[in-house]
Amino acid sequence: MFASADSSTASSDESLLARYREGDGAAFEILYARHRQGLYCFLLGLSGKPELADEVFQETWLSLIRSSSQPQGRATFRTWLFQIARNRLIDHWRKHGARQPLHDSYDEQAHAVSDEANDPEQLLSLSRDSQRLENALQTLPADQREVFLLRAHGDLDLAQIASLTETPLETVKSRLRYAQQKLRRLLAEEVLT
């Protein structure tokens, strides 16, 4: 029989997914509740369009429901879920002939600003106005925005982000640092003006 609701909330994502695949609908509800907000915020931040974020969000969950596969290797459920979402967004851009900002090249060294790094969570708490933060996020190059959003909303560590984006770890670290520096500068400038 299935575990009680109290023990379900303490279950790992991977065990919840396995239980869902065995027919436990409540396990899916717990997974969805755990990851829906972070996943949606990631997609909205990356796409910059609520309607596109909604569409890809739904496609991601439908892909998970229809799939019989599990996270592979050392990937966590969260990393796997965000990889599905990222792939669906890239597929959407390809299908509609849109520019794929995640594949654009960007010279990070040319845009570096020296400053000490803060946690993404600290940067998010600096802005009381989510629209100001959203506007600032949209000015970031897509690869920096993606890393920042995966860290802030996906709660992924840098190694997981490197694996998910198929990017060297040092590049991920640089992108996060540059994103944080630029966001800090943009948000500070808005406060002063």
Side-chain angles (χ1 to χ4, degrees):
M1 209 68 193
F2 298 119
S4 70
D6 289 338
S7 65
S8 297
T9 57
S11 297
S12 75
D13 292 337
E14 292 75 13
S15 66
L16 287 169
L17 180 60
R19 285 185 23 220
Y20 166 68
R21 297 273 162 78
E22 294 170 0
D24 183 358
F28 178 81
E29 291 176 23
I30 295 168
L31 278 174
Y32 182 79
R34 280 184 187 173
H35 300 288
R36 67 181 171 81
Q37 184 175 358
L39 183 66
Y40 181 78
C41 289
F42 165 70
L43 288 168
L44 180 60
L46 204 53
S47 69
K49 299 177 181 175
E51 62 281 354
L52 179 55
D54 289 339
E55 180 180 333
V56 175
F57 179 82
Q58 295 300 324
E59 288 175 10
T60 300
W61 288 107
L62 286 172
S63 293
L64 181 126
I65 289 168
R66 292 177 181 150
S67 171
S68 61
S69 63
Q70 300 275 66
Q72 299 297 312
R74 297 184 331 203
T76 65
F77 174 82
R78 181 183 291 271
T79 305
W80 183 63
L81 179 65
F82 277 73
Q83 181 67 58
I84 293 170
R86 181 179 189 265
N87 290 344
R88 294 295 165 267
L89 183 59
I90 291 170
D91 289 347
H92 175 85
W93 286 329
R94 284 183 186 143
K95 180 180 175 183
H96 297 289
R99 182 178 66 86
Q100 297 177 37
L102 297 181
H103 296 158
D104 291 349
S105 63
Y106 179 75
D107 183 1
E108 293 170 351
Q109 296 298 329
H111 294 84
V113 178
S114 63
D115 200 356
E116 293 181 15
N118 284 339
D119 279 2
E121 294 81 12
Q122 290 173 336
L123 288 173
L124 286 173
S125 68
L126 288 177
S127 176
R128 294 178 193 200
D129 179 357
S130 61
Q131 188 59 49
R132 280 185 34 235
L133 181 58
E134 180 59 33
N135 291 342
L137 280 169
Q138 292 306 315
T139 67
L140 293 176
D143 51 4
Q144 290 178 13
R145 185 171 61 243
E146 177 183 38
V147 169
F148 179 85
L149 292 168
L150 284 168
R151 180 72 185 108
H153 295 302
D155 198 28
L156 302 178
D157 65 34
L158 297 179
Q160 291 171 317
I161 295 170
S163 174
L164 187 149
T165 61
E166 299 176 352
T167 305
L169 180 60
E170 291 304 313
T171 302
V172 168
K173 289 178 183 178
S174 296
R175 288 176 180 172
L176 180 60
R177 184 176 64 250
Y178 298 141
Q180 291 169 333
Q181 291 168 350
K182 185 170 183 181
L183 287 173
R184 190 179 311 111
R185 190 178 67 247
L186 288 170
L187 293 173
E189 287 172 0
E190 277 197 26
V191 169
L192 296 174
T193 57

